[in-house]
Short mmCIF file of all heavy atoms in Angstrom, two decimals:
data_model
loop_
_atom_site.label_atom_id
_atom_site.label_comp_id
_atom_site.label_asym_id
_atom_site.label_seq_id
_atom_site.Cartn_x
_atom_site.Cartn_y
_atom_site.Cartn_z
N LEU A 22 -9.06 -11.16 -22.79
CA LEU A 22 -10.41 -11.61 -23.25
C LEU A 22 -10.80 -12.92 -22.62
O LEU A 22 -12.03 -13.25 -22.52
CB LEU A 22 -10.44 -11.68 -24.77
CG LEU A 22 -10.18 -10.35 -25.59
CD1 LEU A 22 -10.14 -10.65 -27.06
CD2 LEU A 22 -11.36 -9.42 -25.25
N PRO A 37 -10.10 -16.29 -5.47
CA PRO A 37 -10.37 -15.36 -4.35
C PRO A 37 -11.43 -14.26 -4.86
O PRO A 37 -11.41 -13.93 -5.97
CB PRO A 37 -8.95 -14.67 -4.16
CG PRO A 37 -8.22 -14.88 -5.49
CD PRO A 37 -8.72 -16.19 -5.99
N MET A 56 -8.01 -11.31 -8.66
CA MET A 56 -7.48 -10.09 -8.12
C MET A 56 -7.39 -9.08 -9.32
O MET A 56 -7.41 -9.41 -10.49
CB MET A 56 -6.11 -10.27 -7.53
CG MET A 56 -6.07 -11.32 -6.43
SD MET A 56 -7.37 -10.97 -5.18
CE MET A 56 -6.66 -9.49 -4.41
N ARG A 68 -29.99 -14.28 -6.25
CA ARG A 68 -30.79 -14.03 -7.47
C ARG A 68 -32.16 -13.49 -7.17
O ARG A 68 -32.64 -13.65 -6.05
CB ARG A 68 -30.92 -15.34 -8.23
CG ARG A 68 -29.87 -15.75 -9.06
CD ARG A 68 -30.20 -16.91 -9.93
NE ARG A 68 -29.18 -17.16 -10.94
CZ ARG A 68 -29.05 -16.68 -12.09
NH1 ARG A 68 -29.91 -15.79 -12.44
NH2 ARG A 68 -28.15 -17.07 -12.91
N PRO A 77 -19.40 -2.59 2.73
CA PRO A 77 -18.12 -2.20 2.35
C PRO A 77 -16.98 -3.29 2.70
O PRO A 77 -15.90 -3.07 2.28
CB PRO A 77 -17.92 -0.91 3.14
CG PRO A 77 -18.83 -0.90 4.26
CD PRO A 77 -20.05 -1.64 3.73
N SER A 89 -39.47 -10.55 2.66
CA SER A 89 -38.61 -10.64 3.84
C SER A 89 -37.42 -9.88 3.54
O SER A 89 -36.92 -9.68 2.39
CB SER A 89 -38.35 -12.09 4.17
OG SER A 89 -39.52 -12.74 4.64
N ALA A 100 -20.47 -20.10 -0.09
CA ALA A 100 -21.55 -20.79 0.60
C ALA A 100 -22.26 -19.67 1.43
O ALA A 100 -22.07 -19.77 2.68
CB ALA A 100 -21.13 -21.91 1.44
N GLU A 105 -32.72 -14.25 8.33
CA GLU A 105 -33.87 -13.45 8.22
C GLU A 105 -33.79 -12.25 9.16
O GLU A 105 -33.59 -12.37 10.32
CB GLU A 105 -35.14 -14.21 8.49
CG GLU A 105 -36.39 -13.39 8.08
CD GLU A 105 -37.69 -14.22 8.09
OE1 GLU A 105 -38.00 -14.62 9.29
OE2 GLU A 105 -38.27 -14.61 7.09
N ALA A 110 -41.43 -7.50 5.67
CA ALA A 110 -40.80 -6.14 5.77
C ALA A 110 -41.01 -5.39 4.48
O ALA A 110 -40.96 -5.93 3.36
CB ALA A 110 -39.34 -6.26 6.10
N GLY A 121 -17.04 0.18 8.61
CA GLY A 121 -16.69 -1.21 8.88
C GLY A 121 -17.68 -2.30 8.79
O GLY A 121 -17.44 -3.44 9.10
N ASN A 129 -36.75 4.15 4.57
CA ASN A 129 -38.03 3.58 4.03
C ASN A 129 -38.34 4.20 2.71
O ASN A 129 -37.63 5.11 2.17
CB ASN A 129 -39.19 3.75 5.00
CG ASN A 129 -39.53 5.24 5.23
OD1 ASN A 129 -38.92 6.14 4.75
ND2 ASN A 129 -40.72 5.47 5.99
N ALA A 169 -24.31 2.65 15.41
CA ALA A 169 -25.62 3.07 15.05
C ALA A 169 -26.22 4.02 16.00
O ALA A 169 -27.40 4.02 16.27
CB ALA A 169 -26.59 1.80 14.83
N ALA A 174 -27.02 13.15 7.05
CA ALA A 174 -27.77 13.20 5.78
C ALA A 174 -27.39 14.36 5.03
O ALA A 174 -27.41 15.49 5.52
CB ALA A 174 -29.23 13.09 5.95
N LEU A 207 -17.88 9.02 6.88
CA LEU A 207 -17.61 9.09 8.28
C LEU A 207 -16.60 8.01 8.59
O LEU A 207 -16.75 6.84 8.45
CB LEU A 207 -18.91 8.77 9.00
CG LEU A 207 -18.95 8.82 10.52
CD1 LEU A 207 -18.40 10.15 11.08
CD2 LEU A 207 -20.18 8.47 11.10
N LEU A 219 -19.75 23.52 -5.12
CA LEU A 219 -18.59 24.26 -4.84
C LEU A 219 -17.27 23.66 -5.27
O LEU A 219 -16.21 24.33 -5.32
CB LEU A 219 -18.57 24.74 -3.37
CG LEU A 219 -19.65 25.61 -2.88
CD1 LEU A 219 -19.48 25.81 -1.34
CD2 LEU A 219 -19.67 26.99 -3.57
N ALA A 240 -11.64 23.57 -5.37
CA ALA A 240 -11.44 23.80 -6.73
C ALA A 240 -10.13 24.27 -7.12
O ALA A 240 -9.54 23.91 -8.20
CB ALA A 240 -12.54 24.67 -7.30
N PRO A 247 -16.89 16.67 -7.28
CA PRO A 247 -16.54 15.44 -6.59
C PRO A 247 -17.71 14.40 -6.43
O PRO A 247 -18.77 14.83 -5.75
CB PRO A 247 -16.02 15.89 -5.22
CG PRO A 247 -16.77 17.22 -5.05
CD PRO A 247 -16.93 17.81 -6.48
N SER A 276 -0.94 18.02 5.34
CA SER A 276 -0.71 19.34 4.81
C SER A 276 -1.85 19.93 3.87
O SER A 276 -1.69 21.12 3.41
CB SER A 276 0.63 19.30 3.92
OG SER A 276 0.35 18.42 2.79
N LYS A 280 -1.19 15.56 -3.72
CA LYS A 280 0.00 14.75 -3.93
C LYS A 280 0.06 14.09 -5.26
O LYS A 280 1.11 13.70 -5.67
CB LYS A 280 0.06 13.72 -2.82
CG LYS A 280 -0.05 14.28 -1.37
CD LYS A 280 1.10 15.25 -1.03
CE LYS A 280 2.48 14.64 -1.06
NZ LYS A 280 3.55 15.61 -0.67
N LEU A 285 -8.57 9.21 -15.90
CA LEU A 285 -9.48 8.21 -16.28
C LEU A 285 -10.00 8.40 -17.67
O LEU A 285 -9.97 9.57 -18.17
CB LEU A 285 -10.66 8.10 -15.30
CG LEU A 285 -10.34 8.11 -13.85
CD1 LEU A 285 -11.68 8.17 -12.98
CD2 LEU A 285 -9.62 6.79 -13.45
N LEU A 302 -14.81 0.77 -5.86
CA LEU A 302 -15.63 0.75 -7.13
C LEU A 302 -15.86 2.17 -7.52
O LEU A 302 -16.43 2.96 -6.89
CB LEU A 302 -16.99 0.07 -6.80
CG LEU A 302 -17.88 -0.16 -8.07
CD1 LEU A 302 -17.29 -1.06 -9.03
CD2 LEU A 302 -19.22 -0.68 -7.54
N GLN A 311 -21.14 -3.14 -20.35
CA GLN A 311 -20.11 -2.16 -19.81
C GLN A 311 -19.43 -2.91 -18.58
O GLN A 311 -20.09 -3.40 -17.73
CB GLN A 311 -20.86 -0.90 -19.26
CG GLN A 311 -20.04 0.09 -18.58
CD GLN A 311 -20.92 1.29 -18.13
OE1 GLN A 311 -21.34 2.05 -18.92
NE2 GLN A 311 -21.13 1.34 -16.87
N VAL A 315 -12.57 -0.47 -11.39
CA VAL A 315 -12.07 -0.60 -9.90
C VAL A 315 -10.81 0.08 -9.81
O VAL A 315 -9.89 -0.16 -10.57
CB VAL A 315 -12.00 -2.10 -9.56
CG1 VAL A 315 -11.50 -2.26 -8.11
CG2 VAL A 315 -13.36 -2.78 -9.65
#
Side-chain angles (χ1 to χ4, degrees):
L22 293 178
M56 302 309 292
R68 279 187 173 274
S89 292
E105 192 172 66
N129 67 352
L207 177 62
L219 293 177
S276 61
K280 304 302 291 185
L285 308 173
L302 182 65
Q311 173 181 289
V315 176

